[in-house]
Amino acid sequence: MKAMHGRPAEYGAVFKYVLLLPAVLWVVAFTFAPLIFVIRYSFANYVLGMGITGYIGLQNYADVLASDRFWHSIMVTAIYVAVSVPVEVVLGFIAAWLVNLGAPWARGFRTIIGMPLFTMEVAIGYLGVTLFSSQGGLVTAVLELAGIEVPWLSTPSGGIAAAILLDIWRWTSFVFIIVLAGLSSISSDLYDAAILDARNHWQVMWRLGIPLAWPVTTIAILLRIIEGLKVFAIPYALTTGGPGTSTEVFSAMDYLTTVQFFNFGQGSAMGIIFLIMVAALITVFFKQMRKRLG
Amino acid sequence: MTKILWLRASLISKVVVYTLLALAAVITLLPFLWASINSIKTSTATFEPHAFIPFLNFEPTLDSWRNVLSDPQAINAFISSVVVSVGTTVFALILGVPAAYALARFQFPIRSGDIALWFLSQRVLPPAVVLVPFYLLMVSLRLVDTWIGLILCYSAFNLAFAVVIMRDIFRDVSTEIEDAAKVEGATPWQIFWKISLPLSVDGLIVTAVLVFAFTWNEALFASALTSQSATTFSALVLASRSTRGVDFNIAAVNTLIGIVPPVILYFFVQRYLARGLSFGAVKG
Amino acid sequence: MPSGGDVEKLEHLVHGYLKGKIGRREFVLGGLQLGLSLAVLTRLTAPARAANLVESAPEVPYESPITKERIDFLKTKPFKGTTINVMVLKATVGDGLKYHVPHWEEETGGKVNVAEVPIETLHQQIFSDLASGLGRYDTYMTGAWFYGDFFVPETPYIIEIDSFLADPRYPYWDPDQWLPSMRKLYEWNGKLYGVLFDGDAQALYFRKDIFADGQNNEKFKAKYGYELPSPPKTMKELHDAAEFFTGWDWNKDGGNDWGLALHAKVNEQGFFHFLSLSAPYVISPDNKYYFFNPQNMKPLINSEGHLRALEDYIKLAGAGPREEISWTLGQGWNLFLAGHSAMEPTWGDLPTLAQDPKTSKVKGKVGAAGIPGTTEAFNPITGQWKKYEFNQVGNSNGGSWHCVISRNSKKREATYDFLAFMANKKNAFFNSANGWTGVQPGMKFEYLPPVGTASLDEFKAQNWDPDDVVEYLKGYYSVLSAPVQEEYLRIPGTAEYWHELDVNISAVLGGQMQPKAALDATAAAWEKITERYGREKQKALYQASFA
């Protein structure tokens, strides 16, 4: 009763921590505590069967930073995200806008277009091999009809392009679902008003739809960037990084180094460097986002 | 939905809209169709040129379906996936929803938006790196190759979604009723449990579906933290790669089987999606 | 040597042991007291064991031959209530192992729990289980290149099996039946660790019918000035034949065909092609080192010999479709099985798969031979090229998948019993004759006379074309028994060393790297790996892996 009559700041003073703390502790225990191990390994020489054979200072970091393969994987990942995320956002937004127009059977389209989000990425990567293969691949055959021959899986650019196409197919649905939710929560009064002012559809979309759905969209973009930078399953299942290491994304390289070859030292250093780069990127992105929101 | 735009659209616009939607639907469905076709081929036929139409181009066979459905490992993995995904969803919500509510309703020394961001920041960790300490943690807890081990791990990763999404949803719920309840003398817990939560049930369902879908999809941790009894379906799909390469007909069957549970869920909850997933960001 | 009285004691000991009156522990202790090493004891009992063998016993239908002690031992259902945990490769070889499980369970009363792990994660799963001390598995199916990793710790992760072999209560199998090149892969430092299962090697498979065709011969002769060699024996002949059969419709089905099939997708074992095909450029009667200089562990991989081999390898890759670079093993096989490729250097699975009319158009047309040789080889240790009349090199490239017993196992006896059960002649022969088990022959008895005791009828019963099986076993045997053998890398980190070679070769085939640069990059990466593991340690283990 006291809390009720007290100032708002006091209300639930203990209760709020009871609600929040378990989640905080959970995240600390299961993600940030392991990070301490990662930092320790990053300064160590680790050998399977012997464990840490010695601490070697910044050697692992120096090795990673001097590795062409590392920078190449960063570049591939950057290209991957820079191409796939914008396309996903644009396509997802357009699809959401069209479905949100409320045409008859729109619900049916909503169901279908959202479906890829519920597939397994690994499976899509494998399916991609049979889509883009030059031996009986569906996409290859369709393009052949148009007289176009693309060496999808035997060249670096073809491999990345194929992986990006699959990624777009898989993840556009995510943007679609989130943006659709944003659009549909715009009150229809606003549309009524907008449509009187606007000369055509496009103006309604530009003046009303995009500004109002933008905050939701930025969340979708942020999540897509974060998840996209960690991309592993689709490109790895499709090309295993080849030819050579030309289509190897960062997560694949890190996976091979750390998990397959038990090189915890360098794998950890790699992870920390990556973490710093992504954190910087996300911080910049968030500042921009806040400005726009603000 | 905004019927007004549709009603005022010209015939040409309507034709264009339907054409685009139909195109999107076809592109979305084509890979599923292709997976179905692959699933009734032999493994050699998956690489035969122009093998598109069953009976006409190639002799269909149900061998790969039989192969998967009679494989106890596949069935076991399917059950594992369901248990782990449901368990993770429940656990992530139990931990995440109260935290989200606290962040939405109360003041903290740190801005609640920053705390939410902190939750999200752990999604940035490259999975391959945290995998190793995680494995060691599971070893010391004796939880390698168990459902519980996977649930603990996944719930930590997906907590971020639960917190970020639910926080916005709670912020969107009007506080008038809560204020009224306060005056009536309800405890903070009662307000949370009996008022705010029921009002946010749409968002809860949506969050659950997303967490379920993300968990269902995860293969990297699953393949490292399990070897037999708790292997999930996505880890099994990752394992379609044998010494001679991937048997794509089997992979196709797995693609189709693997999509069933989350899509069923999606069918049931999609009407909540629109209301639940606005992230509270759109007012009006 | 033991004195006169000791000899009597020893006789008593061996006799008593073989009759089952003296337990193994007692026997070993007694023998040690007499100053004999375990290895000697093992050898002492082997012939006596053989004397106690019978061809078969009606009450033990799944083993042949079998010792009398074994028959008695089984009457007690010795492993009732014991469950052993086995981690196997999820592949045909894993299926092969699973086939024997119910039989062994029926015989001994034990239970076998099999976990199937894909090749992608098998190494990681095995060593996670070992290095973390978790020890959930009693035995692992290992690839031969995992061996070095088992011997990094002071106490190796796996246990030797000589003492079990000496005990006649366990299923009978004879390691002396191994082809020497294969036996090496089951041993470390002269001691036996692995129990017989698979024996891999790469041979050259070719289309007998196409090579024997008179018209083809005429055309070939007109172009190259000599008779179409069937099969090609030297690298030059291989190259000419591969080029000759590329780009025209020799199988008359309306589409162009190819000279030689390869698969070269990264992380899909494609580099084994290069290992096998490059061997005669470097390995010779004068040099057995392919990977490292044993004196200082400096990589040899960027030597002139390796370079020439790689340049030739690129040309060979031109005798197949361009997409080979993204092909997995199965895709490479498909090209040959569908009748579109005249040759393929690969594992013994190919002729086996060729017997299935559902997937193969080449049944009865498959020839087999050793990997072609050279007339000049580079010795990377001395840095000299040397001419040879004909330098052909055998290999045991591949997984040679088999089980080893974990040092953490608390059920070693039951585990060994199960593994030896599958190594028993009857079961081992079943494995090698049945293609679906993925097991290739590594024991002499698995070959046709005069080498072994297999009979054509047994293969015919498994739907083998008799010509194909004769060719296959002849070719396979010639690879494994060749006097000059390519070394097999078994030091710690082999998977990583090979991976570096794999991606660099793939980059060359993909046109992103020049051969010399790729091999130099490989050598530099290998140096890094060696540094990490410790050069001295690696050197010692490298030398041990040869012993």
Side-chain angles (χ1 to χ4, degrees):
Chain A
M1 288 306 256
K2 252 187 190 159
M4 221 182 75
H5 295 293
R7 279 171 290 132
E10 283 170 6
Y11 174 77
V14 177
F15 181 62
K16 66 184 181 186
Y17 286 104
V18 173
L19 293 180
L20 183 64
L21 272 182
V24 171
L25 290 178
W26 200 254
V27 172
V28 169
F30 284 100
T31 55
F32 288 97
L35 203 56
I36 295 169
F37 280 87
V38 176
I39 292 168
R40 197 178 122 213
Y41 281 131
S42 75
F43 296 110
N45 189 61
Y46 180 94
V47 173
L48 173 66
M50 290 189 279
I52 292 175
T53 58
Y55 288 90
I56 51 174
L58 291 170
Q59 190 59 46
N60 285 327
Y61 288 91
D63 283 347
V64 170
L65 291 173
S67 152
D68 291 341
R69 189 168 167 183
F70 169 75
W71 289 111
H72 184 80
S73 77
I74 294 288
M75 196 187 75
V76 172
T77 312
I79 292 173
Y80 193 95
V81 173
V83 177
S84 63
V85 172
V87 175
E88 282 157 19
V89 170
V90 170
L91 290 182
F93 193 97
I94 292 174
W97 181 261
L98 293 179
V99 166
N100 191 49
L101 289 176
W105 305 329
R107 274 167 216 277
F109 286 113
R110 183 179 71 185
T111 307
I112 291 171
I113 297 172
M115 258 167 62
L117 182 61
F118 301 95
T119 57
M120 292 176 297
E121 283 177 279
V122 194
I124 297 308
Y126 288 146
L127 190 64
V129 178
T130 64
L131 283 168
F132 293 105
S133 166
S134 59
Q135 294 174 290
L138 182 64
V139 174
T140 320
V142 170
L143 289 178
E144 227 167 63
L145 290 180
I148 308 168
E149 206 179 305
V150 184
W152 289 109
L153 300 179
S154 52
T155 59
S157 45
I160 297 172
I164 288 176
L165 286 175
L166 290 175
D167 197 274
I168 290 170
W169 180 83
R170 168 64 166 65
W171 284 105
T172 295
S173 53
F174 178 72
V175 180
F176 166 79
I177 285 177
I178 288 185
V179 172
L180 184 60
L183 286 175
S184 56
S185 65
I186 298 173
S187 139
S188 48
D189 299 346
L190 287 175
Y191 284 107
D192 290 345
I195 208 153
L196 293 176
D197 294 341
R199 228 172 291 129
N200 55 35
H201 243 117
W202 287 111
Q203 282 197 339
V204 180
M205 189 168 118
W206 280 113
R207 289 189 187 161
L208 181 79
I210 292 181
L212 283 180
W214 180 245
V216 180
T217 313
T218 49
I219 291 183
I221 297 172
L222 177 75
L223 289 175
R224 274 314 297 138
I225 291 177
I226 291 179
E227 300 299 309
L229 288 171
K230 294 192 298 181
V231 65
F232 171 74
I234 288 179
Y236 193 72
L238 191 64
T239 68
T240 58
T245 54
S246 57
T247 60
E248 189 174 65
V249 290
F250 170 77
S251 283
M253 186 189 178
D254 196 16
Y255 169 74
L256 289 173
T257 312
T258 316
V259 179
Q260 295 272 52
F261 304 135
F262 291 90
N263 190 348
F264 295 172
Q266 237 173 68
S268 300
M270 208 179 281
I272 302 278
I273 294 170
F274 181 79
L275 192 62
I276 292 168
M277 295 197 302
V278 176
L281 186 80
I282 299 289
T283 313
V284 171
F285 183 84
F286 254 94
K287 275 212 180 112
Q288 290 299 317
M289 226 176 87
R290 278 228 190 96
K291 264 186 221 155
R292 283 173 196 276
L293 282 173
Chain B
M1 291 194 195
T2 48
K3 278 266 190 268
I4 179 118
L5 286 177
W6 179 256
L7 294 174
R8 301 189 100 208
S10 65
L11 187 63
I12 297 172
S13 309
K14 286 179 180 172
V15 171
V16 170
V17 167
Y18 267 119
T19 312
L20 289 176
L21 284 175
L23 194 69
V26 167
I27 291 174
T28 309
L29 290 177
L30 214 51
F32 292 114
L33 182 67
W34 186 239
S36 317
I37 293 173
N38 275 342
S39 76
I40 50 171
K41 287 180 182 173
T42 60
S43 112
T44 342
T46 50
F47 286 108
E48 254 162 40
H50 309 294
F52 300 126
I53 304 162
F55 295 108
L56 198 63
N57 297 143
F58 67 94
E59 196 57 49
T61 163
L62 287 175
D63 282 355
S64 36
W65 283 94
R66 258 180 237 125
N67 190 320
V68 173
L69 294 176
S70 68
D71 178 4
Q73 213 192 352
I75 292 162
N76 205 1
F78 192 83
I79 296 169
S80 282
S81 265
V82 172
V83 172
V84 169
S85 301
V86 170
T88 301
T89 308
V90 170
F91 215 70
L93 290 184
I94 287 177
L95 285 165
V97 171
Y101 179 76
L103 291 176
R105 283 290 178 277
F106 301 103
Q107 300 288 321
F108 287 93
I110 306 170
R111 275 190 46 184
S112 89
D114 289 337
I115 299 176
L117 205 61
W118 175 80
F119 274 104
L120 203 57
S121 72
Q122 52 105 356
R123 297 282 321 174
V124 180
L125 292 177
V129 167
V130 277
L131 217 162
V132 172
F134 223 96
Y135 183 84
L136 297 176
L137 188 68
M138 289 297 120
V139 169
S140 57
L141 295 174
R142 298 270 144 189
L143 288 175
V144 172
D145 202 13
T146 60
W147 289 339
I148 294 175
L150 279 183
I151 291 173
L152 293 184
C153 153
Y154 288 157
S155 59
F157 297 157
N158 284 301
L159 203 52
F161 290 120
V163 171
V164 171
I165 297 173
M166 286 308 293
R167 170 177 165 261
D168 283 326
I169 284 164
F170 282 126
R171 288 207 306 188
D172 211 21
V173 172
S174 155
T175 53
E176 281 169 27
I177 306 172
E178 293 188 22
D179 290 339
K182 257 186 241 175
V183 175
E184 293 298 316
T187 64
W189 171 256
Q190 283 173 327
I191 291 172
F192 167 63
W193 187 246
K194 296 231 168 103
I195 296 170
S196 305
L197 212 52
L199 280 175
S200 315
V201 80
D202 290 1
L204 211 59
I205 289 170
V206 173
T207 313
V209 171
L210 279 184
V211 171
F212 186 93
F214 281 124
T215 310
W216 189 264
N217 178 34
E218 209 290 326
L220 197 57
F221 274 77
S223 73
L225 298 181
T226 68
S227 56
Q228 184 183 8
S229 21
T231 298
T232 65
F233 204 72
S234 54
L236 193 78
V237 176
L238 189 67
S240 317
R241 175 184 304 190
S242 70
T243 38
R244 54 175 292 176
V246 177
D247 282 325
F248 290 101
N249 49 337
I250 304 286
V253 174
N254 288 337
T255 310
L256 295 171
I257 293 178
I259 195 180
V260 170
V263 162
I264 289 177
L265 261 183
Y266 171 59
F267 279 133
F268 279 111
V269 304
Q270 51 166 322
R271 62 196 182 93
Y272 298 103
L273 282 174
R275 280 183 283 161
L277 247 187
S278 66
F279 286 102
V282 186
K283 310 271 192 232
Chain C
M1 277 313 281
S3 66
D6 284 348
V7 169
E8 221 167 80
K9 271 190 224 159
L10 181 67
E11 251 171 39
H12 171 77
L13 201 63
V14 171
H15 199 72
Y17 175 58
L18 292 177
K19 284 261 143 65
K21 286 177 196 151
I22 299 175
R24 190 166 68 88
R25 195 182 145 78
E26 231 175 303
F27 167 68
V28 171
L29 283 176
L32 291 175
Q33 272 164 14
L34 293 171
L36 296 175
S37 76
L38 211 56
V40 172
L41 289 175
T42 308
R43 236 166 279 146
L44 274 175
T45 49
R49 247 185 105 195
N52 248 356
L53 272 184
V54 292
E55 200 41 55
S56 62
E59 63 267 47
V60 188
Y62 301 114
E63 283 177 52
S64 161
I66 185 165
T67 63
K68 290 178 180 139
E69 290 82 352
R70 173 75 177 161
I71 298 171
D72 292 338
F73 186 52
L74 285 176
K75 284 182 187 144
T76 65
K77 294 276 167 205
F79 300 118
K80 208 165 171 56
T82 306
T83 300
I84 57 172
N85 292 303
V86 184
M87 183 186 280
V88 303
L89 179 68
K90 187 184 165 82
T92 44
V93 277
D95 294 338
L97 180 142
K98 282 199 294 184
Y99 170 83
H100 298 286
V101 166
H103 302 160
W104 183 79
E105 289 180 341
E106 186 189 320
E107 258 190 29
T108 64
K111 283 258 170 291
V112 182
N113 173 32
V114 181
E116 293 177 90
V117 176
I119 187 161
E120 177 98 29
T121 49
L122 180 66
H123 180 270
Q124 165 205 338
Q125 289 276 3
I126 290 177
F127 289 94
S128 301
D129 192 54
L130 286 169
S132 66
L134 209 55
R136 298 172 63 231
Y137 294 90
D138 296 292
T139 176
Y140 315 93
M141 187 179 279
T142 175
W145 72 87
F146 299 1
Y147 258 70
D149 295 319
F150 290 121
F151 293 92
V152 177
E154 292 287 323
T155 317
Y157 282 133
I158 54 176
I159 59 165
E160 53 173 308
I161 58 167
D162 278 331
S163 56
F164 290 112
L165 259 176
D167 190 331
R169 288 174 303 162
Y170 295 116
Y172 178 81
W173 65 289
D174 181 8
D176 289 335
Q177 282 283 311
W178 251 317
L179 298 175
S181 59
M182 191 45 62
R183 181 176 186 151
K184 273 197 280 186
L185 300 184
Y186 285 72
E187 291 181 332
W188 189 268
N189 244 342
K191 288 176 192 150
L192 196 57
Y193 289 85
V195 185
L196 165 73
F197 199 65
D198 184 20
D200 273 330
Q202 287 199 329
L204 181 71
Y205 298 96
F206 63 99
R207 286 286 298 278
K208 252 180 345 195
D209 55 328
I210 301 297
F211 274 83
D213 184 287
Q215 278 184 331
N216 289 342
N217 187 28
E218 287 306 311
K219 273 200 230 170
F220 184 90
K221 208 170 161 184
K223 194 169 174 192
Y224 298 95
Y226 63 99
E227 302 271 339
L228 177 60
S230 174
K233 295 217 170 37
T234 64
M235 281 293 165
K236 183 184 168 348
E237 290 175 356
L238 178 74
H239 278 265
D240 289 346
E243 185 186 71
F244 174 71
F245 283 115
T246 298
W248 57 285
D249 184 19
W250 45 255
N251 69 0
K252 304 186 180 79
D253 69 344
N256 282 348
D257 299 306
W258 305 95
L260 185 121
L262 295 171
H263 78 283
K265 189 171 185 174
V266 253
N267 294 331
E268 296 281 1
Q269 312 176 73
F271 67 95
F272 275 118
H273 285 311
F274 178 71
L275 288 188
S276 302
L277 289 168
S278 63
Y281 293 79
V282 183
I283 305 289
S284 65
D286 300 303
N287 172 51
K288 61 176 178 175
Y289 299 106
Y290 180 97
F291 296 101
F292 296 98
N293 185 328
Q295 301 309 315
N296 53 15
M297 281 309 275
K298 288 283 176 204
L300 304 175
I301 194 72
N302 53 348
S303 83
E304 280 177 47
H306 291 89
L307 180 62
R308 188 183 291 178
L310 180 54
E311 283 162 353
D312 280 0
Y313 183 62
I314 301 166
K315 285 184 218 148
L316 265 191
R322 189 175 147 63
E323 320 80 73
E324 278 183 347
I325 190 173
S326 62
W327 278 4
T328 58
L329 185 52
Q331 286 172 280
W333 286 341
N334 281 348
L335 193 75
F336 187 90
L337 295 174
H340 297 303
S341 174
M343 297 180 282
E344 180 162 8
T346 190
W347 286 293
D349 308 64
L350 184 67
T352 311
L353 288 167
Q355 306 310 312
D356 180 359
K358 257 204 263 176
T359 51
S360 157
K361 291 178 181 160
V362 296
K363 185 173 182 177
K365 301 170 181 171
V366 185
I371 301 288
T374 56
T375 52
E376 195 183 16
F378 184 78
N379 184 334
I381 307 283
T382 61
Q384 300 292 321
W385 285 97
K386 188 173 167 187
K387 299 258 184 222
Y388 295 92
E389 197 173 319
F390 181 51
N391 179 43
Q392 191 170 30
V393 181
N395 70 72
S396 49
N397 283 333
S400 294
W401 301 99
H402 63 270
C403 290
V404 289
I405 302 172
S406 165
R407 72 171 187 205
N408 298 325
S409 171
K410 294 189 178 64
K411 301 157 196 156
R412 297 175 181 189
E413 289 76 17
T415 306
Y416 175 78
D417 197 290
F418 171 59
L419 301 180
F421 174 80
M422 293 184 295
N424 179 260
K425 190 168 168 183
K426 181 177 178 147
N427 297 325
F429 184 79
F430 174 90
N431 288 343
S432 73
N434 281 274
W436 61 263
T437 62
V439 172
Q440 318 298 330
M443 302 294 249
K444 285 182 201 140
F445 64 74
E446 290 163 333
Y447 291 88
L448 297 168
V451 178
T453 52
S455 93
L456 215 48
D457 289 338
E458 289 164 295
F459 282 95
K460 275 193 214 156
Q462 311 296 339
N463 286 321
W464 273 84
D465 178 279
D467 288 346
D468 279 0
V469 75
V470 170
E471 278 281 333
Y472 159 53
L473 290 176
K474 201 179 69 193
Y476 208 75
Y477 182 75
S478 78
V479 173
L480 279 176
S481 65
V484 179
Q485 287 283 330
E486 180 174 18
E487 66 156 302
Y488 189 105
L489 191 66
R490 298 201 295 160
I491 56 176
T494 293
E496 198 179 349
Y497 287 109
W498 277 353
H499 173 77
E500 292 295 339
L501 180 65
D502 188 21
V503 292
N504 283 311
I505 288 176
S506 167
V508 171
L509 293 180
Q512 293 116 44
M513 252 178 151
Q514 289 305 307
K516 177 75 180 125
L519 292 179
D520 285 344
T522 308
W526 284 14
E527 280 286 89
K528 285 257 176 220
I529 302 168
T530 304
E531 290 297 333
R532 183 160 70 84
Y533 279 88
R535 187 173 298 273
E536 288 309 309
K537 271 201 127 117
Q538 288 294 79
K539 201 170 87 184
L541 288 168
Y542 186 57
Q543 286 165 351
S545 76
F546 275 98

